[in-house]
Amino acid sequence: MKAIQFTTYGGPEVLKMVELDKPNPEANEVIIKIEAIGVNYADTARREGQYVVPTPLPFVPGAEVAGIVDEVGSDVSTVKAGDRVVTLLGSKKATGYAEYSIADERGLMPIPYGVSFEQAVALPLQGLSAYHILKTMGQLEEGDTVLVHAAAGGVGTIAVQLAKLMGAGKVIATASSKEKLELARELGADVLVNYTEDNWYEQVLEATNGRGVNVALEMAGGRVFIDTLKCLATFGRLVVYGVASGEQSPFNPSSLMARNQSVIGFFLPQIMRKPRLLQSSMKELLDYVGSGQLKLQIGGTYALDEAAKVHQLMQGRKTTGKLILKP
C-alpha cells in the first residue's frame, strides 16, 4: 500500500511517499480502507519531533481517518466488512497517511446516513477537542461568555458553533484577518477581535463590560496566553490545548487566587482512554452534522502525495477550516 512516511525530523520536505505492507488485524482490530484523512497541527509537531510525546522513527503521521471496513479480526463483533466508519488512531501500528490502516474496534464510530467521509474525518480531533474543551474541561454553563482564539481554524470554527449549541450567551472570536473574522461571524460569533492588534484584550474586556469571559480557549502560548489571563472573569476557566507559537509563558499560579480563576490543560488522548465518553460525544457531534446544526469548514482536499504541500500551507497560516488528504 502507498503511505507517507518520514525517517528524520524536519520540514515538510521530509515527508516521502513509500510502499508498505498492508497490515493484518489481530483479534480485536479491523483494517480500514481509507477514504479521507484529517491533517492537523499535531502531525506537523510529530514531523518536527516537537510533539508532547516521543515520535519514533520511521513514522507514518495521521491520527484521524474515515473509510470502509475492509477486514475484521476474529473477535470483532460490532462492525463488519463494508461498514462506513470514522476513528482516531491509537495503535503504534496505525498508519494515518496511507491507503489502509489498522484500528481498534473500540474506537470505531459508524458514519450516519447523510454524513460524508470528508465531514466525518473533520470531527475526531478538532470536533472532539472543541467539545471536551468547552464541556468537560471548561464546564460551560448556559449564559456563559466564551472567548475562542483562532476562530477560523479547525478547532475554532467548531468551537464557535458548539458554544452556541451548548447555551453560551456570548461568543467572542479572535483571528488575524478581516476575512477570518467574517467567517467567525457567519458561524455565530457575537464579537470579533483581531488579536494581532495591540491591547486586543481591552476589546474583550470592553465587550464584557469589564467582567471578562467565563471560558477561554487558548492554543497560541507566549504573549497571547498572558493577555488571555487578563480577559478572565471571576471563576473564569482558561483551557490550554496547544502552544502554536512555540513560545513558553512566565506564569505565577498565585495570580489566580484573588478571583478564583483556573488554568486547565487539555490533551485529547486522555479522553480517548475513556471509550464510553469518547463515543457518546462523537455520536453527538455526528448527529449535529447530520441535522445541519453544525457546519464543518473544509478548507481543502488534496491527494495523498501532496502531504508536504498541505503541511506547508497549514504552517504558513494560509488556510481556514479543515484540510483533508485522499488516498
Side-chain angles (χ1 to χ4, degrees):
M1 68 176 187
K2 290 182 172 61
I4 297 292
Q5 185 185 73
F6 57 89
T7 58
T8 184
Y9 305 124
E13 69 280 358
V14 303
L15 298 174
K16 305 295 183 183
M17 181 75 83
V18 297
E19 286 283 343
L20 298 177
D21 291 335
K22 181 181 173 183
N24 293 309
E26 294 187 11
N28 293 303
E29 296 175 331
V30 305
I31 303 303
I32 300 171
K33 182 181 182 300
I34 299 173
E35 299 291 338
I37 304 156
V39 181
N40 301 282
Y41 275 107
D43 301 341
T44 67
R46 286 280 200 185
R47 190 199 73 227
E48 294 171 347
Q50 299 295 322
Y51 194 54
V52 291
V53 296
T55 300
L57 296 176
F59 191 79
V60 176
E64 54 186 354
V65 300
I68 300 168
V69 175
D70 186 67
E71 298 179 49
V72 300
S74 58
D75 293 343
V76 170
S77 60
T78 59
V79 296
K80 63 184 184 304
D83 285 353
R84 300 167 73 243
V85 295
V86 60
T87 191
L88 271 173
L89 300 172
S91 168
K92 293 180 180 179
K93 301 177 292 181
T95 47
Y97 287 17
E99 293 181 302
Y100 294 88
S101 184
I102 201 162
D104 192 300
E105 174 190 20
R106 293 171 298 178
L108 300 176
M109 281 299 301
I111 301 175
Y113 176 79
V115 177
S116 68
F117 290 118
E118 291 77 14
Q119 288 175 312
V121 88
L123 286 172
L125 275 177
Q126 278 97 351
L128 287 170
S129 291
Y131 182 100
H132 290 288
I133 290 167
L134 289 166
K135 190 168 186 175
T136 307
M137 311 308 298
Q139 296 290 299
L140 175 62
E141 297 179 356
E142 190 156 347
D144 276 352
T145 297
V146 179
L147 173 63
V148 180
H149 284 308
V155 173
T157 54
I158 296 175
V160 167
Q161 298 175 78
L162 283 182
K164 286 290 191 176
L165 289 169
M166 292 176 178
K170 181 181 289 184
V171 174
I172 302 173
T174 79
S176 60
S177 70
K178 181 179 178 180
E179 293 75 19
K180 291 182 177 182
L181 288 170
E182 186 54 39
L183 172 59
R185 185 195 298 280
E186 292 172 5
L187 296 175
D190 303 292
V191 179
L192 309 177
V193 175
N194 188 322
Y195 66 81
T196 66
E197 297 176 0
D198 291 338
N199 299 331
W200 60 265
Y201 59 89
E202 293 179 356
Q203 298 178 52
V204 175
L205 290 172
E206 182 179 351
T208 60
N209 297 317
R211 290 189 297 271
V213 302
N214 305 106
V215 181
L217 286 67
E218 206 290 292
M219 43 62 72
R223 188 72 233 173
V224 174
F225 171 82
I226 296 300
D227 288 345
T228 302
L229 280 174
K230 300 173 185 175
C231 301
L232 275 191
T234 301
F235 290 100
R237 289 86 67 197
L238 191 164
V239 185
V240 175
Y241 68 100
V243 191
S245 69
E247 300 174 13
Q248 296 300 321
S249 309
F251 170 51
N252 179 9
S254 64
S255 65
L256 305 171
M257 294 170 60
R259 300 177 66 192
N260 285 18
Q261 296 166 328
S262 304
V263 173
I264 304 159
F266 173 80
F267 187 45
L268 185 60
Q270 297 296 346
I271 299 293
M272 292 172 63
R273 294 188 174 99
K274 298 180 179 292
R276 189 175 302 175
L277 180 62
L278 178 71
Q279 290 177 358
S280 63
S281 52
M282 189 66 185
K283 183 180 185 305
E284 191 172 341
L285 288 168
L286 286 165
D287 287 345
Y288 279 142
V289 173
S291 67
Q293 292 175 279
L294 179 60
K295 295 178 173 59
L296 300 173
Q297 305 300 307
I298 307 300
T301 301
Y302 301 84
L304 184 60
D305 61 7
E306 295 181 285
K309 172 186 174 180
V310 173
H311 277 218
Q312 189 171 22
L313 289 172
M314 175 180 282
Q315 291 187 287
R317 297 178 182 269
K318 299 184 184 301
T319 63
T320 58
K322 185 68 176 180
L323 301 181
I324 293 170
L325 294 173
K326 292 183 71 68

